[in-house]
Amino acid sequence: MKFFRMRLILALVVGITLVSVASTYFEVLAHKHAQRLELVRRVTLLNKSLQPEMEKTVAGGQTGEIAAEAARLHSQTEALGLAVYDTQGGLVTESGPAGLFGALPRGPLDKAIKQGLDSSAFGHLNDEQWLEEAIPLHVDGHMAGALVILEDAGSIRAESARVWRQSFWRIAAFVLLILCVTLLMVHWFLMRPMMRMAERLRRLRMGQADDLADESLAEMSLFTPLAREVESISESLIEARAAAETEARLRDAGEHQWTAERLAVHIRERFGSSRIFVLSNREPYMHVLQGRETVCMVPPSGLVTAIEPVLRACDGVWVAHGSGSADALNVDEFDRLRVPPDDPRYSLRRVWLSSEEESGYYDGFSNEGLWPLCHIAHTRPIFRASDWECYQRVNEKFATALLGEMEGSANPIVFVQDYHFALVPRLIKAARPAARVAIFWHIPWPNPEAFGICPWQARLLEGLLGADLIGFHIPLHCNNFLSTVDRVLESRTDREHMTARRDGHTSSVRAYPVSVAFDGSKPERRTPRLSREELLKKFGLHCETLIVGVDRMDYTKGIVERLMAVEKVLEEHPFYLERLTMVQIAAPSRSRIPSYVNLRRQVEETVERINQRYQTTLWKPILLIERQCSHADVDLWYRAAAVCLVTSLHDGMNLVAKEYVAARDDEDGVLVLSKFTGAATELLEALVVNPYDTEGVAEAIHQGLEMNRGERLMRMQRMRRHVMDHNIYRWAASILGDLHELRLESPAAADLSHAQPASVSPAEVVDRKLA
Ligand code: G6P
């Protein structure tokens, strides 16, 4: 730092001095020139005034008279000397120091005599400086000699020296001033922020609290790009340190906690150079137009949290439906983009669907057919042949896109998501027999009788059995699936090893309970953005106790049943009137489908009816929030609620139950949980209810409200421990780990060729329909 300062000072002194000296030099030069001109003008004027008298005297021709006149005229001036010359340039007379004129150069004299012109020249001898001015003398119009005046010019040099002296002090003051200002500026705008940034990095290195973040960012505003880089380095450092600490803590406790980092390492170690390809209907990043701006959003989905570390670890590819309004504007010519947008680590390939395709494949077969078929919620599935046709075509379209992305990847790993793509595993396996293919069915699989009402059940099962691994949330769904295969297809199922073998290909069927990203690495007891009181105030709520429900507006979630149970609590326990409010968040979902439109009306009417029945001027029993809320907002409600109600009529897992548990870092709160959710098989400390039993649910709610703190804490601690140990990272690691461990039959042994030849090209897949 010292060296830098010294060099800076030296450079400044030299630079400013050079500039100042150069400017003074030119100033002196100009000044000198002006002075000389002035002197010449003055002497010429003097000479001219003497000329007529001297010409008169020269006309007389007497040398004595000329000498006397020269002496007289000289005495009238302050000139150094005065001399008269004849026409040959011979000295006639001189007045002034003896011998002075003999030493003069003859230039001006010759010019005056020979050319008849006034002429002057500056000259010097030792320290003396003078101006010699010669003018011709005429008598009767003829050249008669020259009159020469010598004037002292020493004052010009003295004046220049004075200017130089003055400039020296001015330059010195100037250098000093600029030096001080520059050093101050360097200190305030460069050194100080740098020192702070260095101090911040030092603290981060030492693992101390990062409380300088805001200040240093503000100070570094001059160097925004650099500051941004430092910001992201420090964030990575904090994350890396947190991950390392978690690992160390877990090693110390002898536990096997799964984290995003551990999942990434696990994947890299297992799969090496193999690429992972994920297929899902919903995309992980969506571009939407908001006014004139394009915004990139992450749709609220647990899947992104789980799959992203996997794809980041191996630079994989995620294929999904491009459903955002500005999606098409944000892809390259191959419909790809790198994501996450601010730290690109893997590729997203968007597939476009026409509105007919969306309506047949997504609204129709997936959500009016398969969804109610698999959820026993007593909403009748609708099977239209045209929807089924569309579902097949769209599955083939996605399979083609996937195969296109897989081209050139040896030993690819394919991970298909959910009921939208039951046919894809077979299409992929037929074209790329060496690929390892898994599908995870995120919804329940009902018993064979229930599934049997689907006219195309065999085709769906054949499609699924193309996968090497088929995952469900719980063992019951695995068993239902194998029973369905047994009943519908000619195949060999093995309950001991949980496999189904058909056409020489074996599929393993296993349970992997999906979960949330809760790994205990976040600082415990985070401070929420809004306190409970602020939250209630913001929504105009006046109550002592809150109950919360968070769902998509879906008939499988038992929202109406839940509202009726809350009404029952108020009916049976009037103590809670004006004390208890239920907040129901219902995110709009699949709103083009009539059964969803009906449900929405039913929910709104029920809320209206209960509120009408009980509400007072300030209080109302139910607040319905019908919009998509961010994770952070939902978290606030989770933390504020004494009881969380999850009363699905049927649910594969239900992540709200696990999110509520993960959010309660105060270890308080009660979970009322439907026995028809996958989560009920894991969260044994919840108050488990039958959602169809209104009295039973009301009783459980009341039990939760009255439960003593000790029991609440004990139950919540156990549930938190379970969710932390069985988080989303473990889910992804288990499925992909098992997929890696599976022994694949040699590709030749598996004969899926009656659907597709093993060597089929991606393009051919489109042209072929499943048999
Ligand atoms: C269920 C399905 C998911 C689906 C989600 C939201 O959880 O298993 O695949 O993404 O609902 O439904 P949506 O139709 O809005 O994608």
Side-chain angles (χ1 to χ4, degrees):
M1 195 66 77
K2 240 184 194 167
F3 186 54
F4 170 72
R5 240 181 240 150
M6 287 307 299
R7 279 199 311 185
L8 185 71
I9 293 173
L10 204 71
L12 279 172
V13 170
V14 172
I16 302 166
T17 308
L18 278 178
V19 170
S20 305
V21 166
S23 99
T24 309
Y25 172 75
F26 287 112
E27 193 185 322
V28 167
L29 218 61
H31 194 62
K32 206 164 154 182
H33 183 66
Q35 277 188 308
R36 282 181 167 210
L37 283 180
E38 173 59 20
L39 192 63
V40 170
R41 190 188 62 79
R42 248 189 323 109
V43 174
T44 309
L45 225 60
L46 176 68
N47 233 352
K48 290 276 182 212
S49 68
L50 302 181
Q51 187 185 23
E53 289 188 46
M54 188 48 82
E55 280 178 342
K56 244 189 250 161
T57 313
V58 169
Q62 296 302 312
T63 308
E65 278 175 24
I66 296 172
E69 182 64 7
R72 188 181 69 81
L73 291 178
H74 180 214
S75 68
Q76 287 173 6
T77 69
E78 287 175 359
L80 216 55
L82 187 150
V84 178
Y85 289 85
D86 61 21
T87 50
Q88 303 305 312
L91 183 64
V92 177
T93 180
E94 66 176 327
S95 168
L100 183 61
F101 284 90
L104 288 183
R106 297 186 61 92
L109 178 65
D110 287 348
K111 209 170 171 184
I113 293 173
K114 289 184 183 150
Q115 297 174 24
L117 297 173
D118 297 354
S119 173
S120 59
F122 283 89
H124 65 93
L125 191 63
N126 302 327
D127 282 345
E128 299 293 327
Q129 270 219 327
W130 65 78
L131 168 67
E132 179 189 354
E133 163 81 16
I135 56 170
L137 294 174
H138 297 96
V139 174
D140 298 333
H142 298 288
M143 174 64 66
L147 174 63
V148 176
I149 291 182
L150 210 57
E151 185 69 51
D152 182 10
S155 64
I156 295 180
R157 177 183 273 190
E159 182 61 15
S160 298
R162 190 188 60 77
V163 173
W164 273 115
R165 256 194 322 276
Q166 259 181 6
S167 295
F168 172 80
W169 293 115
R170 204 187 55 207
I171 291 169
F174 206 47
V175 169
L176 206 67
L177 193 71
I178 292 186
L179 213 58
C180 290
V181 171
T182 311
L183 286 178
L184 268 178
M185 280 168 59
V186 166
H187 177 76
W188 281 100
F189 300 123
L190 201 66
M191 294 306 190
R192 225 172 95 106
M194 289 290 187
M195 298 297 277
R196 273 192 174 267
M197 200 45 84
E199 172 61 12
R200 191 175 160 213
L201 289 174
R202 192 189 65 77
R203 284 197 196 187
L204 285 170
R205 182 168 50 80
M206 309 285 286
Q208 293 165 354
D210 183 25
D211 45 11
L212 293 176
D214 290 346
E215 286 173 49
S216 59
L217 243 194
E219 281 190 317
M220 289 290 283
S221 60
L222 197 61
F223 312 97
T224 308
L226 180 64
R228 258 196 230 121
E229 274 310 305
V230 171
E231 249 339 85
S232 76
I233 289 175
S234 60
E235 269 166 26
S236 312
L237 209 60
I238 292 170
E239 276 170 22
R241 191 178 295 283
E245 268 170 23
T246 311
E247 287 293 327
R249 209 173 50 239
L250 298 170
R251 261 201 309 280
D252 190 41
E255 290 173 29
H256 299 287
Q257 179 74 61
W258 279 94
T259 60
E261 292 74 21
R262 186 173 163 197
L263 174 59
V265 171
H266 181 83
I267 295 300
R268 262 198 298 271
E269 275 176 3
R270 296 264 166 333
F271 293 107
S273 59
S274 300
R275 262 188 128 189
I276 298 186
F277 299 84
V278 170
L279 171 65
S280 71
N281 178 61
R282 285 262 168 238
E283 53 185 342
Y285 293 91
M286 188 189 247
H287 286 92
V288 287
L289 281 174
Q290 282 185 0
R292 284 185 175 183
E293 267 179 45
T294 298
V295 181
C296 184
M297 294 174 16
V298 179
S301 144
L303 201 64
V304 182
T305 323
I307 304 289
E308 216 167 48
V310 174
L311 291 188
R312 278 166 178 251
C314 61
D315 191 0
V317 181
W318 189 320
V319 179
H321 171 208
S323 55
S325 50
D327 273 355
L329 304 174
N330 288 282
V331 287
D332 64 15
E333 74 246 59
F334 305 107
D335 298 329
R336 288 188 204 121
L337 70 156
R338 299 285 293 167
V339 286
D342 50 354
D343 178 21
R345 303 285 280 276
Y346 66 93
S347 300
L348 169 61
R349 162 72 194 276
R350 286 175 171 153
V351 175
W352 316 113
L353 295 181
S354 66
S355 53
E356 289 76 33
E357 283 173 329
E358 258 194 81
S359 120
Y361 139 85
Y362 174 78
D363 290 338
F365 194 74
S366 297
N367 289 321
E368 288 188 281
L370 287 179
W371 180 266
L373 175 74
C374 291
H375 289 91
I376 312 298
H378 308 285
T379 296
R380 193 182 188 285
I382 299 171
F383 292 115
R384 301 181 195 95
S386 56
D387 290 347
W388 166 240
E389 277 296 316
C390 198
Y391 184 82
Q392 290 176 87
R393 270 203 317 277
V394 170
N395 268 240
E396 284 160 9
K397 190 176 199 173
F398 276 95
T400 306
L402 200 50
L403 287 167
E405 295 300 321
M406 285 160 65
E407 255 172 49
S409 285
N411 310 316
I413 312 295
V414 181
F415 190 15
V416 181
Q417 308 297 322
D418 233 347
Y419 59 100
H420 309 93
F421 299 118
L423 307 180
V424 168
R426 188 177 189 81
L427 293 170
I428 299 296
K429 202 67 181 174
R432 296 289 301 267
R436 287 175 182 267
V437 181
I439 181 163
F440 190 82
W441 195 260
H442 287 260
I443 60 177
W445 190 281
N447 62 44
E449 288 75 26
F451 198 79
I453 65 171
C454 173
W456 304 286
Q457 59 168 338
R459 306 280 295 285
L460 290 169
L461 291 171
E462 279 169 355
L464 286 167
L465 288 178
D468 301 301
L469 179 62
I470 304 172
F472 294 97
H473 290 298
I474 55 174
L476 174 67
H477 301 156
C478 298
N479 284 322
N480 283 346
F481 176 76
L482 285 178
S483 304
T484 315
V485 171
D486 251 347
R487 185 168 298 192
V488 178
L489 296 180
E490 247 180 63
S491 61
R492 217 172 59 227
T493 56
D494 176 347
R495 297 297 174 128
E496 197 187 332
H497 297 102
M498 297 300 281
T499 55
R501 185 168 178 78
R502 179 173 157 82
D503 294 336
H505 175 256
T506 304
S507 305
S508 291
V509 179
R510 295 196 188 151
Y512 303 95
V514 82
S515 192
V516 290
F518 176 37
D519 62 8
S521 65
K522 306 237 166 56
E524 297 281 307
R525 301 197 181 281
R526 291 162 294 170
T527 323
R529 278 184 299 125
L530 288 181
S531 69
R532 187 177 182 282
E533 287 62 41
E534 287 166 336
L535 183 66
L536 296 184
K537 196 167 162 209
K538 184 174 164 194
F539 284 85
L541 293 180
H542 298 271
C543 63
E544 286 167 19
T545 309
L546 265 186
I547 301 181
V548 70
V550 180
D551 305 86
R552 278 184 307 104
M553 184 70 95
D554 194 299
Y555 52 80
T556 60
K557 303 295 179 185
I559 301 174
V560 175
E561 290 77 0
R562 177 185 315 170
L563 294 170
M564 284 175 2
V566 173
E567 182 181 23
K568 193 88 196 152
V569 172
L570 296 175
E571 210 173 277
E572 306 235 315
H573 307 280
F575 167 80
Y576 284 107
L577 291 173
E578 300 194 67
R579 290 197 165 95
L580 176 71
T581 292
M582 161 156 199
V583 174
Q584 175 64 53
I585 298 173
S589 181
R590 305 171 191 169
S591 33
R592 291 184 297 246
I593 300 176
S595 48
Y596 285 79
V597 177
N598 289 340
L599 171 80
R600 184 174 171 199
R601 202 183 45 243
Q602 233 181 312
V603 169
E604 286 170 354
E605 281 171 7
T606 312
V607 170
E608 182 70 16
R609 184 182 59 71
I610 299 174
N611 279 343
Q612 291 285 342
R613 181 172 171 194
Y614 289 111
Q615 75 188 6
T616 59
T617 339
L618 283 180
W619 171 82
K620 63 176 173 182
I622 318 271
L623 171 68
L624 177 64
I625 302 176
E626 280 188 85
R627 63 180 147 82
Q628 184 77 57
C629 294
S630 68
H631 272 303
D633 286 347
V634 172
D635 237 43
L636 292 174
W637 290 112
Y638 283 149
R639 285 153 177 273
V643 175
C644 175
L645 290 183
V646 176
T647 57
S648 309
L649 305 181
H650 200 191
D651 221 329
M653 171 53 65
N654 193 292
L655 287 179
V656 169
K658 292 186 176 179
E659 276 171 12
Y660 177 64
V661 168
R664 294 311 298 246
D665 54 11
D666 59 351
E667 299 180 335
D668 206 341
V670 175
L671 175 65
V672 172
L673 181 59
S674 160
K675 65 200 254 186
F676 303 124
T677 60
T681 62
E682 292 186 78
L683 301 176
L684 306 178
E685 303 299 338
L687 300 180
V688 176
V689 295
N690 172 356
Y692 293 93
D693 172 11
T694 310
E695 281 73 16
V697 178
E699 225 168 86
I701 295 174
H702 186 242
Q703 186 190 344
L705 293 172
E706 299 290 313
M707 193 181 282
N708 68 56
R709 184 170 152 78
E711 188 176 349
R712 292 198 309 261
L713 293 188
M714 184 271 291
R715 284 173 182 263
M716 189 52 88
Q717 278 164 6
R718 288 192 185 169
M719 290 193 287
R720 280 172 64 79
R721 166 58 53 201
H722 179 88
V723 176
M724 208 198 288
D725 286 350
H726 297 82
N727 61 18
I728 189 78
Y729 307 117
R730 170 181 282 221
W731 174 83
S734 314
I735 300 187
L736 292 168
D738 285 355
L739 184 59
H740 177 256
E741 298 303 321
L742 284 182
R743 198 168 57 79
L744 293 194
E745 290 111 343
S746 77
D751 179 18
L752 302 178
S753 54
H754 73 272
Q756 302 290 335
S759 58
V760 72
S761 73
E764 285 176 279
V765 175
V766 191
D767 299 334
R768 289 161 178 269
K769 298 269 165 67
L770 280 173

